[in-house]
Amino acid sequence: MRWITRGLVAVGLTLALTAPAATEAGAATQLIQNGTFSTSTTSWWSTGNTPISVDAGRLKAVVPGGTANKWDAMLGQKMPAFPIHQNHRYTLSFDASASATREVRTTVQQNTAPYPATLDKVFTVDTTIRRYAFAFTGSLETVNAELTFQLGGVAGFSLWLDNISLVDNYGNVAGSPVQLTNGFYVDPNSNPKLWVDDPQNQNHPDRQAISASIATKPMGRWFGNWSGEIADAVHRFVGPADAADKLPVLVAYNIPGRDACGGHSGGGAGTEAAYKAWIETFAAAIGGRPAIVILEPDSLGDFQCMTQAEQEERTRMLSFALQQFKTLAPNTWTYLDAGNAGWADASEMARRLNGVGVGVAHGFSVNVSNYYTTTQSVAYANAVNTHLGAAKPFVIDTSRNGNGPGADWCNPPGRKLGTTAQQGGGAEMLLWVKVPGDSDGPCGIGPEIPAGQFSPALATSLINGG
C-alpha cells in the first residue's frame, strides 16, 4: 500500500537490500526495508508455522493456535541486519489489525543468542486498523539487530501489518513546518463541521452561517484522555493533513491535575509516569510530518493553585514533553502555553517558562481559550520575552477575541470571532486554538453545556458578536 510522507517513512516500493541510509541531510535514518508491502514480502521472514503473504497491499500472517509461547509463531525483519546504538532515540510505528482481538509482542533485539531486546512491547490488536507508535532509547550497541512480531501463545488468528517504520532519530535537524506545507489544515472532523454535516441539522437556521464562518476555517484539534489510543488518534489527524500538504494544529491537553484552579476541564493522565508515556507516544506518532503543537494550555497559569511539590512535578513533565517533541518530531513547532494577559505577571510567567526549559521549545502560546485582544496579547507576550534568557517566537489564540475580554472568562456574552489563522499579525502566527462554539463549561450563556461540547447557540453568538 502506498503511504508517503516527508523524510521519515518508507515509500510504497520494494527497496534494494542495501544498508540503511538517511532519507535526506539531517533527517532520521530509516532502518526498515520494504515496510509498505506494495508488491512482495521481500526482506521479511516468518517461522514455518506462520505463512506470510501480500494481501491488498498489506502483509498478512496466518498464525496457528496451540503454541505455548509468543516466540513460537513469529515474523520480522533481520536481513539485512541493521544497527542499534546506545542512547540513540528510536521510533517504531506501524498499522495493524487482526481477525480477532489478540495480544501481540514486538521487539527490537540483537539477532543472536541470548537475543537481548532494547524494545519489548505487548500491545492489543483487533479488527480495526490502528496506528501504533513506540519510542525507545537504544540500550544495545550492535550491528546485528532485528525487528520481530511475536504472535504465539494465543488462539489462531490472522494479522495484517502495513507502513512499518523504524527510524533512528539521531542527527535530526529541525525543519520549518510552515515551509514544508502550503497553508493551514481545515479539520474535516471538528465539532462544528460534524454539526454542520449532521443530517438532523440540515434545516437549522444557523447552519449556513456556522459553516461559512467557523466550520470551514483552520482550527486546532485537542487531544486528551478522551482520545483513546493516542498514536492512532494523532495519526488520523496528522496523516490526512500531510497528504493534503497542509499544516495541522494539535493541542496536547492531558497533564495530571489539569485545570487546577477549579475550572470545568479537570482531569488528565492519572500519574506522572502515565503522562510521560502518553506524551512520548504523541510525539512519536507525529514523527517527521509537519505540525504545530500547543503544549498543555493553562499548565503554567495554574501554578498559584498548586503546592510546591505539584509545581515541581508539573515542571518535570513539561520539560520531558518538550524534549520528546524536539527529538521525535523534528518538523513540529512546539509552543509551551504561557497563559494570558490577565493571568500571571509577565515576569512571573517568564520565570515559570524558564523553569521548564522553554529554550527547548520553538516558542510559547498566549490567550488560549481566552478573549484578550490581539493587541493586548502581543503586548503581554513581548513583556514575557523581556524576562526570558532569550526571546522566543509566540502564537496567539484569536478564535474568540474579536471584541476583547468580557466580565468573565466562561462563555461570556458579547464576544466575537477573531482573525482566522495566518502568519504574522504581531506574532509568529495567529491561530484558532480553541474551537469556536465549544463550551467553556456549564456557565455564562451556556449554563447547561459541558466543557468541550459544541453549541450552535454559542457559535452563532460569536459570529454575531452578541
Side-chain angles (χ1 to χ4, degrees):
M1 179 178 293
R2 182 170 293 273
W3 186 65
I4 303 174
T5 61
R6 293 173 185 78
L8 301 189
V9 297
V11 299
L13 302 172
T14 301
L15 303 177
L17 300 183
T18 56
T23 53
E24 60 185 52
T29 302
Q30 176 61 256
L31 302 177
I32 293 299
Q33 306 280 11
N34 186 27
T36 52
F37 312 106
S38 294
T39 60
S40 75
T41 61
T42 298
S43 301
W44 294 86
W45 59 271
S46 65
T47 51
N49 61 352
T50 307
I52 59 175
S53 61
V54 174
D55 180 16
R58 298 192 290 164
L59 183 147
K60 178 182 180 181
V62 180
V63 184
T67 57
N69 304 299
K70 287 293 184 189
W71 56 85
D72 290 336
M74 297 174 61
L75 66 89
Q77 183 171 124
K78 63 181 177 182
M79 292 299 295
F82 53 82
I84 291 291
H85 301 292
Q86 286 185 336
N87 300 319
H88 282 208
R89 292 284 282 159
Y90 296 86
T91 305
L92 171 66
S93 56
F94 52 89
D95 301 333
S97 64
S99 58
T101 301
R102 295 289 187 269
E103 279 196 345
V104 173
R105 180 187 188 191
T106 186
T107 70
V108 175
Q109 61 187 39
Q110 188 166 306
N111 66 6
T112 55
Y115 306 103
T118 185
L119 171 72
D120 189 338
K121 287 285 187 180
V122 175
F123 61 97
T124 300
V125 291
D126 57 25
T127 56
T128 300
I129 300 173
R130 290 188 175 87
R131 187 71 176 166
Y132 297 82
F134 303 113
F136 63 97
T137 300
S139 59
L140 305 173
E141 188 66 43
T142 179
V143 295
N144 293 307
E146 65 178 338
L147 168 67
T148 77
F149 292 91
Q150 302 183 10
L151 314 173
V154 295
F157 70 108
S158 293
L159 174 75
W160 288 266
L161 295 167
D162 199 7
N163 299 319
I164 302 174
S165 171
L166 174 61
V167 295
D168 181 347
N169 292 293
Y170 183 80
N172 268 338
V173 176
S176 165
V178 172
Q179 294 178 355
L180 291 170
T181 53
N182 184 24
F184 295 97
Y185 184 55
V186 177
D187 184 358
N189 294 301
S190 69
N191 283 347
K193 185 66 165 65
L194 293 176
W195 184 87
V196 164
D197 290 345
D198 188 334
Q200 296 183 17
N201 301 321
Q202 295 305 297
N203 296 319
H204 193 286
D206 297 322
R207 178 179 175 275
Q208 291 299 325
I210 292 172
S211 178
S213 298
I214 298 177
T216 54
K217 307 302 182 185
M219 65 189 74
R221 171 79 71 85
W222 291 58
F223 295 85
N225 48 5
W226 59 86
S227 299
E229 295 291 340
I230 190 61
D232 190 59
V234 168
H235 173 69
R236 290 180 183 276
F237 184 61
V238 175
D242 187 53
D245 197 30
K246 298 296 182 182
L247 180 59
V249 177
L250 300 86
V251 185
Y253 194 52
N254 199 35
I255 200 87
R258 188 180 63 211
D259 211 2
C261 287
H264 299 284
S265 299
T271 65
E272 180 176 353
Y275 179 73
K276 286 181 174 179
W278 183 87
I279 203 72
E280 180 182 65
T281 302
F282 192 122
I286 295 175
R289 294 172 290 194
I292 298 295
V293 170
I294 308 299
L295 182 61
E296 299 298 344
D298 301 346
S299 57
L300 295 181
D302 278 345
F303 267 32
Q304 61 264 36
C305 302
M306 303 168 67
T307 66
Q308 182 65 33
E310 289 169 337
Q311 292 176 21
E312 291 172 357
E313 178 186 56
R314 181 161 290 186
T315 295
R316 289 194 304 270
M317 289 186 285
L318 293 172
S319 297
F320 178 87
L322 290 178
Q323 190 60 58
Q324 302 319 298
F325 286 108
K326 181 177 181 179
T327 302
L328 303 176
N331 295 319
T332 290
W333 280 354
T334 305
Y335 298 88
L336 177 59
D337 191 63
N340 59 67
W343 211 336
D345 175 81
S347 61
E348 172 60 19
M349 182 54 68
R351 185 190 69 80
R352 298 174 191 179
L353 289 167
N354 282 327
V356 171
V358 71
V360 177
H362 179 75
F364 61 92
S365 57
V366 297
N367 201 48
V368 172
S369 296
N370 220 290
Y371 301 87
Y372 289 93
T373 65
T374 301
T375 298
Q376 290 172 307
S377 297
V378 168
Y380 176 68
N382 284 334
V384 170
N385 262 328
T386 64
H387 296 283
L388 293 179
K392 301 292 288 186
F394 59 89
V395 296
I396 299 170
D397 183 359
T398 56
S399 58
R400 307 184 298 179
N401 74 345
N403 280 346
D408 191 13
W409 67 270
C410 195
N411 296 332
R415 301 312 95 205
K416 190 174 184 179
L417 298 173
T419 304
T420 54
Q422 67 170 59
Q423 295 181 57
E428 184 165 46
M429 286 179 279
L430 307 180
L431 302 171
W432 280 15
V433 181
K434 174 74 173 185
V435 176
D438 279 8
S439 175
D440 294 324
C443 53
I445 59 173
E448 298 179 355
I449 307 171
Q453 180 175 309
F454 179 77
S455 163
L458 292 176
T460 303
S461 177
L462 290 169
I463 293 170
N464 296 331

